Amino acid sequence: TAIFCNAIREYAQRIGKHNFFLFGEIVADDAFIQQYIGRNSRIQDSNERFPSLDAALDFPLYFLLDETIKGERNPAGLRQRYDTFRDHYADHGAAGRYFVTFVDNHDQMSRPYQRFMHNSPDPLQAVLAIGYLLTSQGVPCIYYGTEQGFDGGGGDDDYVRECMFGGQWGAFNTTGAHFFDPANTIYQKIHAIAQLRQQHAALRYGRQYFREISGNGIDFGYPLDGRCTLAWSRILDSEEVLVALNLDSQPRTDHITVDRNLSAPGQQMRNLLQPDTSMPVRDSGGRACVQVALPAHGMAILKCG
């Protein structure tokens, strides 16, 4: 594998393609994936190592994310997944470049054949799922149709390969029908989040820290239940961007911890998804925090200034 991948990369460089991105599908845990990323691939029966894959599909995240975003799993497993980066990388902020993150795809290996939105009652959950990919560590990959609310599921992978543009075959009577709609609410909201990712380098390259929350602004801790406010900061140099998701089907208001050196008490954090909305950073027993009100399955992206 290492020799094959290196040959492709050298050919691309020879013809002037210096940013050729090569990633692979490895259904395994982090320890196994490490063998294929960067210069870790050892040539069989030798001590020589070649660059193999630039990145791998993030299956460790995939096996957690569906139930977490839907509020069916305690987010503790998600936090533990990123703690693994600290075990494997000296610069855990850069670890995301080695992983292609996704919430559904065409194979659905080791899981039922169903899209993220299968049996999901609220299309905004798709926005939360893709919003998570676009604002957390990793190279986000959106499977076609997720942004249109496709919700296929069935006995084999035919049911997650619906037709988008009116082709000759498609599950659920999608044959000959055109489903790409730029006015779709899911598409529009994902588009807005993607624009913010492009505008704010911290959302692409920043270190990631999950944040403790509090209902009363005094007693803080990580969420104990799946239906919660899930929050994390992306920090790059002197910039902090706070992301908050309401994983509950009811509105929630929680106080969220921020870095008091970067987002100090007295400053205002603006919701980049609603530029006219801002909230103050305040002190709570030496902790800097911001109170964030979110509608059911709502999302906020906050930054001082």
Side-chain angles (χ1 to χ4, degrees):
T1 301
I3 294 174
F4 175 76
C5 291
N6 193 57
I8 293 175
R9 187 176 287 104
E10 287 189 359
Y11 173 78
Q13 290 175 337
R14 183 172 66 81
I15 62 174
K17 180 71 172 177
H18 297 289
N19 60 344
F20 187 82
F21 184 62
L22 186 65
F23 71 95
E25 184 177 68
I26 307 167
V27 187
D29 60 17
D30 282 290
F32 190 84
I33 291 173
Q34 290 301 310
Q35 301 175 76
Y36 295 90
I37 294 174
R39 301 191 66 87
N40 292 328
S41 298
R42 188 182 300 277
I43 305 304
Q44 189 173 4
D45 299 324
S46 79
N47 290 322
E48 190 169 7
R49 293 178 182 266
F50 279 75
S52 184
L53 300 171
D54 295 307
L57 286 170
D58 196 344
F59 275 96
L61 176 65
Y62 167 70
F63 289 125
L64 292 169
L65 197 56
D66 186 296
E67 290 86 353
T68 302
I69 294 297
K70 291 176 180 175
E72 300 169 358
R73 178 197 289 260
N74 189 314
L78 193 63
R79 296 197 307 273
Q80 291 168 8
R81 191 270 168 280
Y82 291 89
D83 286 342
T84 304
F85 287 159
R86 293 169 174 79
D87 296 334
H88 288 288
Y89 301 96
D91 180 2
H92 69 87
R97 69 188 180 98
Y98 297 113
F99 293 92
V100 176
T101 57
F102 64 103
V103 72
D104 53 8
N105 66 12
H106 65 283
D107 283 327
Q108 307 287 303
M109 289 175 289
S110 302
R111 296 182 71 96
Y113 293 105
Q114 60 187 42
R115 284 180 175 267
F116 174 83
M117 286 301 295
H118 187 67
N119 291 330
S120 177
D122 189 348
L124 290 180
Q125 288 186 317
V127 179
L128 293 186
I130 303 305
Y132 181 87
L133 300 184
L134 290 169
T135 58
S136 62
Q137 281 184 284
V139 182
C141 179
I142 303 174
Y143 182 44
Y144 87 96
T146 302
E147 83 290 350
Q148 297 296 325
F150 281 15
D151 60 359
D156 57 52
D157 64 0
D158 287 353
Y159 292 94
V160 294
R161 298 172 184 255
E162 304 99 316
C163 183
M164 173 76 85
F165 297 109
Q168 296 303 306
W169 183 92
F172 305 113
N173 297 318
T174 57
T175 302
H178 191 286
F179 287 94
F180 183 75
D181 178 15
N184 184 294
T185 298
I186 300 173
Y187 180 93
Q188 289 288 327
K189 290 182 177 295
I190 290 174
H191 175 68
I193 299 167
Q195 284 187 311
L196 292 178
R197 175 185 171 86
Q198 181 64 31
Q199 294 165 9
H200 297 275
L203 292 176
R204 303 194 303 276
Y205 308 119
R207 289 168 279 132
Q208 181 166 344
Y209 300 96
F210 285 95
R211 292 307 192 188
E212 293 184 340
I213 63 171
S214 170
N216 60 16
I218 300 172
D219 304 302
F220 284 82
Y222 290 116
L224 299 176
D225 181 76
R227 301 188 183 278
C228 64
T229 297
L230 177 66
W232 64 94
S233 291
R234 301 295 304 277
I235 294 178
L236 184 66
D237 191 27
S238 60
E239 179 177 275
E240 176 178 23
V241 179
L242 176 69
V243 183
L245 308 183
N246 179 6
L247 306 184
D248 199 343
S249 58
Q250 301 297 321
R252 290 188 63 93
T253 299
D254 281 303
H255 301 260
I256 304 173
T257 302
V258 292
D259 188 315
R260 69 179 298 119
N261 294 312
L262 303 178
S263 305
Q267 292 185 292
Q268 292 283 326
M269 295 199 86
R270 183 167 55 95
N271 185 355
L272 302 177
L273 289 171
Q274 296 177 312
D276 295 333
T277 303
S278 62
M279 52 220 68
V281 181
R282 71 178 189 86
D283 181 271
S284 176
R287 177 194 300 263
C289 63
V290 60
Q291 187 176 30
V292 181
L294 293 170
H297 296 146
M299 180 176 186
I301 302 176
L302 307 168
K303 182 182 176 184
C304 284

